[in-house]
Amino acid sequence: MESDIENRPTAQAKGLLPIDIERIKADFPILDQKIGDHQLVYLDNAASTQKPRVVINAILEFYRKYNANIHRGLHYLSEKATAMYEHTREHTASFIGGVQPKEVIFTGGTTGAINLVAYTWGEENISEGDEIVISEMEHHANLVPWVILAKKKNAVLKRIPVTPDGYLDLTNIDTIITQKTKLLAVTHMSNVLGTINPVEALAKKAHAVGAVVLIDGAQAAPHMPIDVKAIDADFYCLSAHKMLGPTGVGVLYGKAELLDAMPPFNLGGEMIREVRFDKVTWADLPNKFEGGTPNIADVVAFDSALHYLEELGMDNIRQHEMDLTAYTLDQLSAIPGLEIQGPRNSNQRGGAISFTDSDIHPHDISTFLDSKGIAIRAGHHCAQPLMKIMGKVATARASLYIYNNEQDVDALVKALGEMRRYFGL
Amino acid sequence: MESDIENRPTAQAKGLLPIDIERIKADFPILDQKIGDHQLVYLDNAASTQKPRVVINAILEFYRKYNANIHRGLHYLSEKATAMYEHTREHTASFIGGVQPKEVIFTGGTTGAINLVAYTWGEENISEGDEIVISEMEHHANLVPWVILAKKKNAVLKRIPVTPDGYLDLTNIDTIITQKTKLLAVTHMSNVLGTINPVEALAKKAHAVGAVVLIDGAQAAPHMPIDVKAIDADFYCLSAHKMLGPTGVGVLYGKAELLDAMPPFNLGGEMIREVRFDKVTWADLPNKFEGGTPNIADVVAFDSALHYLEELGMDNIRQHEMDLTAYTLDQLSAIPGLEIQGPRNSNQRGGAISFTDSDIHPHDISTFLDSKGIAIRAGHHCAQPLMKIMGKVATARASLYIYNNEQDVDALVKALGEMRRYFGL
Amino acid sequence: MSGSLDDMYRDIILDHYKAPRGKKPIEEANIASDGHNPACGDELELKVSVDGSTVRDVHINCKGCAISVASSSMLAEQIKGKPLEEVKGLAEQVRKMLKGENVQLPEDTDDLDALKGVRNFPVRIKCALLAWVTLLEGIKTFEKGTGESKTINLEETD
Amino acid sequence: MSGSLDDMYRDIILDHYKAPRGKKPIEEANIASDGHNPACGDELELKVSVDGSTVRDVHINCKGCAISVASSSMLAEQIKGKPLEEVKGLAEQVRKMLKGENVQLPEDTDDLDALKGVRNFPVRIKCALLAWVTLLEGIKTFEKGTGESKTINLEETD
Ligand SMILES: Cc1ncc(COP(=O)(O)O)c(C=O)c1O
Ligand SMILES: Cc1ncc(COP(=O)(O)O)c(C=O)c1O
């Protein structure tokens, strides 16, 4: 699976074989280590995933052979670097469903992508009395920008409730999405509950009232095939670091006509056409939104992450995670004192599994598991309002990815069993 | 010069020896390559610098051993990654003159840093009739945000002119910086002319009228010792990729009392204290300005870049570049038809040297030099207004760094000689 | 993991965690202060009755992790019956200790030494701090005589 | 470098660059169009006089790099005396050729083939394009009869 970053295919290779987890594990150098006396079991993938050798090597190779600033450089390195950077844009465009490359804007992450929309589209299109619809299961990244924008503009923030079993409650959706709705901003997959939301149906409802639809794909894009055109998303946001790519790279997909009409963001070099002291005209898409020197090396390396995912096949990845999620839910259910959040049907959820213990605080759970080499996350997962609604101060969350297998889950389950003894319960 | 990223000193090691360029060149894998038949001569350092092995290896090592999302992770990898990320913050704070770590905000680059100030401090503090003072030699990154802000707020953009020999013209400075001045935003070193500006004196003048001072240090920080406290800068901005560090990392230094009073930017996870659907309270510095998952690996590797620079010693680096700049100016002056821009005194300038040929367009110069393996940049260098003032449509720019020596300059000079013959002049 | 698990969860800590002291409500209190750590979700309610210049009784109710609960429980145990000045000094000492300074705790407060283990778990230090800064805030308000203490919001105070 | 230097700077290109055709001002023009490439700073002034439906005379003044100057000069040489329809077709063909499409240029326009070398230097393609898109814009305005052409700003048109 090593690939020469100079000659990379754009076409989506569809993996056909069942996923061989042992072979995959071997592609991730970090997994081959001990934490204290214990083999590392990495189950914090919803926070950030590990990187396969091809991605690490792509960064290495870029800095060793091709590094230069991009755009308009007339020398070999700059031309190479520019071509590689733009290649990732094309690849990303194809990965998310075959959009135009100029509709793919590179940002620092999902947070950066959503903020870009809030500061530009939001600033210009949200006025007093307008309604912004979010859900109760949003990550702060898709919540705080809208809370603040609504406050600033005297707009109304409305929310789609969450049912006790972790689904969006669509009972009253027609009173939530109304003629006043200007924006629907909702997550494709919850980072706390794992729930996969019916974004296609929601987008349809929102479009029917003329609203714009932003989908937070930070958790979905790594784990299932994404087709932004099928969803009919106006904006779709994702983070490279959650899908095998480097930190510091995010993607904002936006429909060209929307992006074209928006004012630029992050003003500076390369995003202008002409600058005078009294007037500035903007460059065309995508440059208009990529002022300054971008995170070139990491964008280039992100290409290798997409390639790796495609070689496995996003359908296969989804299947593997459904199977492993079902297994995990099953195993965790058998542990006394444990309460699991979110849907029980692995068809309708991803592998981010939140749970609590009736007696042990999530932070103690996490620290205890860490002593066994098991990395999970504990806390509010940047979803404080959802925590409150769930009646929890925090949860422990194990989240799965392509390199996890049943043994990893078994290690978790075994440690959770020991934990209650350790704390004298 | 290999360093273990786990146990890195924060203290500034001062290099004492004269700089051994051959040894330095050997630290940069990319320099050891041929472009066609010619050895690469990299003279595009003002656009972006190359990376020493220690920096590349730090990225590698991070992803191989420590990668995880930072902040509040209760497992080994996350604690390690957090400690490393924060270590770079401390190191940066010490590198720029010993400020408080919480005054160091990581951004995507200088452009991101300046925009952060424009969107937050600028938004709140600039009103109708206020004056923003910039210079005529600003990079678009320190120009476009203020042009747009001035327009939006009906504020006045005033500029410090540039003399024909490339210095700031301070003759009428007291009519430019006035009681109405709210912000002075000026570059420490010009990316076109190489000029080092008297930022200390300018800051004093600006502070005397109660204005805030932002210094664009993108070109200065890589090449000379920086002491933001001696300058008394309120904000100081720099880019890691121009100082041996990875792409995608920038720094905004800001005085704590200013940063504390500013609204946050890039809203999302980790920059909040508490989120409700109707209200958000912000985290303390520096988190308030670092919403979302930052560019963790590259921030961690930036530490190695700072360390490398410190081992050489910023004073030594400055001395080497002064010497080599003097030599370059001397050699270029002897070429018929060539016109050099900017100060002639290498004490008052850095090693970004712009020039034009009386007959050959800068783009043709650059393409020709590239055919000899020599990388320079040609164009407006994101300083269109300065170009107009200089009466040029573009310039060719050779820019030096620590791994350049007289042979590199000789190769440039020899190629420029051949060029006129090639174009039949 | 930066420290060993048993460094943090010492027997004394687990003992306090499983049977926290100071749970019993008290009749009247001169000091009332609430603590909150939004990052963790920990919440703490503290009431102290002061007799002259001596702490007569303490009620502390902490919803949080083992560390914050144990630290609260130790606080309740330690301050009861002590002069307010001594209590203040002790709280300051504990705060310094948790922040990594080398402090010498008073002789009769050996239990508190167990909190030192938390220092190897940077993210958990705030958990141990919560009770003590909440107490200090309460005393401050009491001494100023200005009535109600503001809720301690941990990020603001550390 | 993606191509060899001589691929781009062919003799014909350098010949046009050193002695650009169409420099001579013309008396009256039915077509007047300006081109500008802000990224490069290239500026171009184009005037064409049309007699019936045939190009009678051309004036082109290009301040720019060797490629944009040579491309302008070739344009001047090629279109003089040709029917406007043919000129339009040719300009479209050149545009396609520069964008990498496989086109068959008319027989008597061999010189233009030399511009193909630019395709290996992506950043320079716009330099070669400038004259031709400026011409197309001028013809469009002429045909609409709406008077002055807008200035071509290269980034908008490609
Ligand atoms: C003086 C100056 N300011 C700002 C910038 C912008 O830096 P970046 O592209 O890293 O954001 C540059 C880089 O070209 C520069 O030279
Ligand atoms: C659903 C969701 N949205 C947004 C984000 C923010 O992503 P990032 O931190 O990469 O900007 C996350 C990451 O935690 C997430 O899970």
Side-chain angles (χ1 to χ4, degrees):
Chain A
M1 214 165 266
E2 300 287 331
S3 78
D4 171 3
I5 71 170
E6 259 200 277
N7 301 298
R8 291 174 298 191
T10 300
Q12 273 184 247
K14 290 273 173 228
L16 294 168
L17 303 166
I19 292 193
D20 175 351
I21 304 300
E22 281 317 308
R23 217 192 97 207
I24 293 177
K25 265 193 199 287
D27 286 334
F28 291 77
I30 200 172
L31 296 179
D32 184 22
Q33 74 172 297
K34 295 216 157 185
I35 307 295
D37 293 336
H38 300 272
Q39 181 63 35
L40 169 64
V41 174
Y42 188 77
L43 297 171
D44 192 18
N45 293 292
S48 199
T49 63
Q50 299 305 339
K51 320 305 169 198
R53 204 169 277 109
V54 284
V55 170
I56 303 173
N57 286 351
I59 300 173
L60 199 76
E61 196 182 349
F62 180 81
Y63 283 129
R64 282 191 177 161
K65 291 196 198 160
Y66 307 109
N67 177 64
N69 213 325
I70 57 173
H71 297 314
R72 300 183 188 148
L74 296 167
H75 58 78
Y76 172 82
L77 295 177
S78 179
E79 282 173 8
K80 273 281 181 221
T82 305
M84 287 173 173
Y85 182 85
E86 293 303 327
H87 179 86
T88 303
R89 195 190 307 281
E90 285 162 29
H91 196 169
T92 307
S94 116
F95 186 86
I96 61 174
V99 301
Q100 301 178 67
K102 69 173 182 179
E103 296 178 314
V104 170
I105 312 295
F106 289 116
T107 67
T110 298
T111 305
I114 297 173
N115 275 269
L116 192 163
V117 176
Y119 278 98
T120 58
W121 182 90
E123 214 27 75
E124 292 219 331
N125 291 280
I126 299 294
S127 329
E128 185 161 352
D130 287 347
E131 296 181 355
I132 298 171
V133 174
I134 49 139
S135 88
E136 284 181 349
M137 61 168 82
E138 297 310 313
H139 186 280
H140 290 166
N142 197 30
L143 182 55
V144 182
W146 311 123
V147 172
I148 298 302
L149 185 69
K151 234 189 174 77
K152 182 174 172 192
K153 299 285 187 176
N154 266 317
V156 180
L157 194 70
K158 287 171 89 176
R159 41 198 214 253
I160 307 172
V162 173
T163 65
D165 47 349
Y167 294 97
L168 288 186
D169 181 351
L170 302 178
T171 322
N172 299 314
I173 191 69
D174 292 323
T175 66
I176 299 170
I177 298 178
T178 71
Q179 292 296 333
K180 287 190 174 171
T181 307
K182 283 286 176 314
L183 173 72
L184 169 74
V186 68
T187 191
H188 198 166
M189 187 191 283
S190 163
N191 66 317
V192 176
L193 305 166
T195 322
I196 298 172
N197 289 321
V199 287
E200 242 180 274
L202 285 169
K204 212 166 176 172
K205 282 214 174 285
H207 284 144
V209 298
V212 158
V213 175
L214 179 146
I215 305 296
D216 174 355
Q219 291 298 336
H223 302 286
M224 53 195 269
I226 298 300
D227 184 339
V228 297
K229 290 209 275 197
I231 297 168
D232 199 15
D234 297 302
F235 298 109
Y236 196 94
C237 309
L238 57 84
S239 294
H241 73 94
K242 293 188 197 282
M243 48 200 295
L244 309 183
T247 51
V249 176
V251 168
L252 169 66
Y253 157 77
K255 284 183 186 162
E257 59 273 28
L258 277 165
L259 293 176
D260 272 328
M262 277 151 60
F265 190 59
N266 210 23
L267 314 173
E270 307 307 342
M271 48 72 69
I272 53 87
R273 178 171 298 132
E274 204 159 8
V275 177
R276 301 193 329 218
F277 289 116
D278 58 347
K279 192 174 164 228
V280 181
T281 49
W282 312 118
D284 291 331
L285 294 180
N287 296 17
K288 185 167 106 179
F289 295 107
E290 293 185 9
T293 304
N295 189 355
I296 305 168
D298 291 334
V299 167
V300 168
F302 180 43
D303 187 79
S304 297
L306 294 176
H307 190 65
Y308 190 97
L309 291 171
E310 285 168 347
E311 280 208 7
L312 293 178
M314 292 307 294
D315 285 314
N316 294 333
I317 290 171
R318 174 74 187 124
Q319 187 59 53
H320 166 69
E321 291 184 23
M322 277 201 294
D323 296 347
L324 194 58
T325 298
Y327 179 78
T328 309
L329 291 171
D330 224 50
Q331 296 295 304
L332 290 181
S333 306
I335 301 176
L338 224 65
E339 184 188 339
I340 300 169
Q341 308 295 333
R344 291 313 177 91
N345 184 341
S346 64
N347 280 314
Q348 300 177 334
R349 60 165 298 151
I353 303 174
S354 276
F355 57 91
T356 51
D357 182 282
S358 51
D359 300 294
I360 305 169
H361 189 280
H363 285 179
D364 295 317
I365 297 177
S366 183
T367 299
F368 180 83
L369 291 176
D370 180 48
S371 76
K372 306 290 180 191
I374 301 166
I376 64 150
R377 193 144 293 232
H380 53 61
H381 314 292
C382 298
Q384 286 181 352
L386 177 62
M387 289 294 131
K388 207 162 265 176
I389 287 160
M390 290 160 60
K392 305 284 173 202
V393 294
T395 70
R397 180 188 69 190
S399 52
L400 311 167
Y401 208 23
I402 47 171
Y403 34 68
N404 293 124
N405 56 16
E406 298 191 356
Q407 283 94 296
D408 295 337
V409 176
D410 293 344
L412 170 71
V413 169
K414 175 158 175 275
L416 287 172
E418 291 169 12
M419 173 179 77
R420 291 183 68 84
R421 242 170 300 137
Y422 183 85
F423 286 106
L425 296 163
Chain B
M1 213 167 266
E2 301 287 331
S3 78
D4 171 3
I5 71 171
E6 260 201 275
N7 301 298
R8 291 175 300 191
T10 300
Q12 275 184 245
K14 289 276 174 226
L16 293 167
L17 302 167
I19 292 194
D20 175 350
I21 304 301
E22 281 317 308
R23 218 191 97 207
I24 293 176
K25 264 192 199 289
D27 286 336
F28 291 77
I30 200 172
L31 297 178
D32 184 22
Q33 74 171 297
K34 294 215 158 188
I35 307 296
D37 293 336
H38 300 271
Q39 180 62 36
L40 169 64
V41 175
Y42 188 77
L43 296 172
D44 192 19
N45 293 292
S48 200
T49 63
Q50 299 304 339
K51 320 304 171 200
R53 202 168 279 110
V54 283
V55 169
I56 303 173
N57 286 351
I59 301 173
L60 198 76
E61 196 181 349
F62 180 80
Y63 283 129
R64 282 191 179 160
K65 291 196 197 158
Y66 308 109
N67 177 64
N69 212 327
I70 58 174
H71 297 314
R72 299 180 188 151
L74 296 167
H75 57 79
Y76 171 81
L77 295 178
S78 180
E79 283 174 6
K80 273 281 181 219
T82 305
M84 287 173 173
Y85 182 85
E86 293 303 328
H87 179 87
T88 303
R89 196 190 306 280
E90 286 163 28
H91 196 168
T92 307
S94 115
F95 186 85
I96 61 173
V99 301
Q100 299 178 66
K102 70 173 180 178
E103 296 178 312
V104 169
I105 312 296
F106 289 116
T107 67
T110 299
T111 305
I114 297 174
N115 275 270
L116 192 163
V117 177
Y119 278 97
T120 58
W121 182 90
E123 214 26 78
E124 293 219 330
N125 291 279
I126 298 294
S127 328
E128 183 159 353
D130 286 347
E131 295 180 355
I132 298 172
V133 175
I134 49 138
S135 88
E136 284 180 349
M137 62 168 82
E138 296 311 313
H139 185 280
H140 291 166
N142 196 29
L143 181 54
V144 181
W146 310 123
V147 172
I148 298 302
L149 185 69
K151 234 190 175 75
K152 182 173 172 191
K153 299 288 187 174
N154 265 316
V156 179
L157 194 71
K158 287 171 88 177
R159 41 197 213 253
I160 307 172
V162 173
T163 64
D165 49 348
Y167 293 99
L168 288 186
D169 181 351
L170 302 178
T171 324
N172 299 313
I173 191 69
D174 291 324
T175 65
I176 299 169
I177 298 178
T178 70
Q179 292 296 332
K180 288 190 174 171
T181 307
K182 284 286 175 317
L183 173 71
L184 169 74
V186 68
T187 191
H188 199 167
M189 187 190 284
S190 164
N191 66 315
V192 176
L193 306 166
T195 322
I196 298 171
N197 290 321
V199 287
E200 240 181 276
L202 286 169
K204 212 165 177 177
K205 282 214 174 288
H207 285 143
V209 298
V212 158
V213 175
L214 179 147
I215 306 295
D216 173 355
Q219 292 297 336
H223 301 287
M224 52 196 270
I226 299 299
D227 185 339
V228 297
K229 291 209 275 198
I231 297 168
D232 199 15
D234 297 302
F235 298 110
Y236 196 94
C237 309
L238 57 84
S239 293
H241 73 93
K242 293 188 197 282
M243 47 200 297
L244 308 183
T247 51
V249 176
V251 169
L252 170 65
Y253 157 76
K255 284 183 185 161
E257 59 272 29
L258 277 165
L259 294 176
D260 272 329
M262 278 151 59
F265 191 59
N266 212 24
L267 315 173
E270 306 309 339
M271 48 72 70
I272 53 88
R273 177 169 301 131
E274 203 158 10
V275 176
R276 301 194 329 221
F277 289 115
D278 59 347
K279 190 172 164 233
V280 181
T281 49
W282 312 118
D284 291 331
L285 293 180
N287 296 18
K288 185 167 104 178
F289 294 107
E290 294 185 7
T293 305
N295 189 353
I296 305 168
D298 291 334
V299 166
V300 168
F302 181 42
D303 188 80
S304 296
L306 295 175
H307 191 65
Y308 190 95
L309 290 171
E310 286 168 346
E311 280 208 8
L312 293 178
M314 292 308 294
D315 286 315
N316 294 333
I317 290 172
R318 174 73 188 126
Q319 187 60 53
H320 166 68
E321 291 185 22
M322 276 202 294
D323 295 347
L324 194 58
T325 299
Y327 178 77
T328 309
L329 291 171
D330 223 49
Q331 295 294 305
L332 290 181
S333 306
I335 301 176
L338 223 69
E339 184 188 336
I340 300 169
Q341 307 294 333
R344 291 314 176 90
N345 184 340
S346 65
N347 279 315
Q348 300 176 335
R349 59 166 299 150
I353 304 176
S354 276
F355 57 91
T356 51
D357 182 282
S358 50
D359 300 294
I360 304 168
H361 189 280
H363 285 179
D364 295 317
I365 297 177
S366 182
T367 299
F368 180 82
L369 291 177
D370 180 47
S371 76
K372 306 290 179 191
I374 301 166
I376 65 150
R377 193 143 293 231
H380 54 61
H381 313 292
C382 298
Q384 287 181 351
L386 177 63
M387 290 291 131
K388 209 163 262 176
I389 286 159
M390 291 161 60
K392 306 284 173 201
V393 293
T395 70
R397 180 188 69 190
S399 52
L400 311 168
Y401 208 22
I402 47 170
Y403 34 67
N404 294 122
N405 56 16
E406 298 192 357
Q407 282 94 296
D408 294 338
V409 175
D410 293 343
L412 170 70
V413 169
K414 176 156 174 279
L416 287 172
E418 292 168 11
M419 173 180 74
R420 291 183 67 84
R421 243 170 297 137
Y422 183 85
F423 285 106
L425 296 163
Chain C
M1 202 179 40
S2 320
S4 122
L5 196 66
D6 298 338
D7 273 357
M8 180 152 79
Y9 299 116
R10 299 202 189 157
D11 288 343
I12 293 177
I13 301 265
L14 290 179
D15 178 58
H16 277 275
Y17 165 56
K18 281 179 241 166
R21 331 302 195 241
K23 276 271 188 193
K24 207 177 92 210
I26 58 177
E27 299 284 285
E28 58 207 65
N30 329 49
I31 295 177
S33 187
D34 290 338
H36 182 28
N37 179 354
C40 298
D42 296 346
E43 300 205 347
L44 183 144
E45 202 189 350
L46 173 72
K47 288 198 161 52
V48 181
S49 69
V50 181
D51 199 356
S53 60
T54 302
V55 169
R56 199 180 34 175
D57 211 352
V58 188
H59 164 70
I60 194 157
N61 187 15
C62 177
K63 283 189 271 180
C65 66
I67 304 302
S68 56
V69 170
S71 183
S72 311
S73 168
M74 287 176 170
L75 180 147
E77 190 172 76
Q78 287 297 337
I79 71 172
K80 204 165 157 177
K82 288 213 174 107
L84 206 53
E85 273 313 302
E86 201 180 316
V87 165
K88 253 167 67 182
L90 181 65
E92 278 300 353
Q93 291 286 84
V94 173
R95 169 140 92 171
K96 282 185 185 154
M97 178 184 82
L98 290 172
K99 299 222 158 172
E101 288 181 42
N102 243 333
V103 299
Q104 185 70 43
L105 293 175
E107 269 193 16
D108 57 342
T109 60
D110 295 355
D111 273 21
L112 293 177
D113 212 62
L115 287 174
K116 263 193 196 158
V118 174
R119 300 193 302 198
N120 294 326
F121 299 79
V123 190
R124 307 300 295 278
I125 290 171
K126 285 187 179 171
C127 309
L129 266 175
L130 184 62
W132 301 90
V133 297
T134 304
L135 172 64
L136 282 168
E137 175 66 20
I139 296 177
K140 209 166 84 188
T141 313
F142 172 71
E143 288 181 338
K144 277 203 231 142
T146 50
E148 240 176 277
S149 299
K150 69 168 181 162
T151 296
I152 279 295
N153 216 321
L154 204 54
E155 247 174 326
E156 292 176 71
T157 55
D158 59 328
Chain D
M1 201 178 40
S2 319
S4 123
L5 196 65
D6 299 338
D7 273 357
M8 180 151 77
Y9 298 116
R10 298 201 188 156
D11 288 343
I12 293 176
I13 302 265
L14 290 179
D15 179 56
H16 277 275
Y17 165 56
K18 281 179 240 164
R21 331 303 196 239
K23 274 273 185 190
K24 209 178 92 208
I26 59 176
E27 299 285 285
E28 58 206 67
N30 328 51
I31 296 176
S33 187
D34 290 337
H36 182 29
N37 179 352
C40 299
D42 296 345
E43 300 206 346
L44 182 145
E45 202 189 350
L46 172 72
K47 288 200 162 53
V48 181
S49 69
V50 182
D51 198 357
S53 61
T54 303
V55 169
R56 199 179 37 174
D57 211 352
V58 189
H59 164 70
I60 193 156
N61 187 16
C62 176
K63 284 190 271 181
C65 66
I67 303 305
S68 56
V69 170
S71 183
S72 311
S73 167
M74 287 176 172
L75 179 148
E77 191 172 74
Q78 288 295 339
I79 71 171
K80 204 165 155 177
K82 289 211 176 112
L84 206 54
E85 275 310 305
E86 201 180 317
V87 165
K88 254 167 68 182
L90 181 65
E92 279 299 354
Q93 291 286 84
V94 174
R95 169 140 92 171
K96 282 186 185 153
M97 178 184 82
L98 290 171
K99 299 222 157 171
E101 289 181 40
N102 244 332
V103 300
Q104 184 71 42
L105 294 176
E107 268 193 16
D108 57 341
T109 59
D110 295 357
D111 274 21
L112 294 176
D113 212 64
L115 287 175
K116 263 191 196 161
V118 174
R119 299 191 304 196
N120 295 326
F121 298 79
V123 190
R124 307 300 295 277
I125 290 170
K126 284 187 180 171
C127 309
L129 267 176
L130 183 61
W132 301 91
V133 296
T134 304
L135 173 65
L136 283 168
E137 174 66 19
I139 295 176
K140 207 167 84 189
T141 313
F142 171 71
E143 288 179 338
K144 278 202 232 144
T146 49
E148 240 177 275
S149 299
K150 71 166 182 165
T151 296
I152 279 296
N153 218 319
L154 205 53
E155 246 174 327
E156 294 175 69
T157 56
D158 58 331

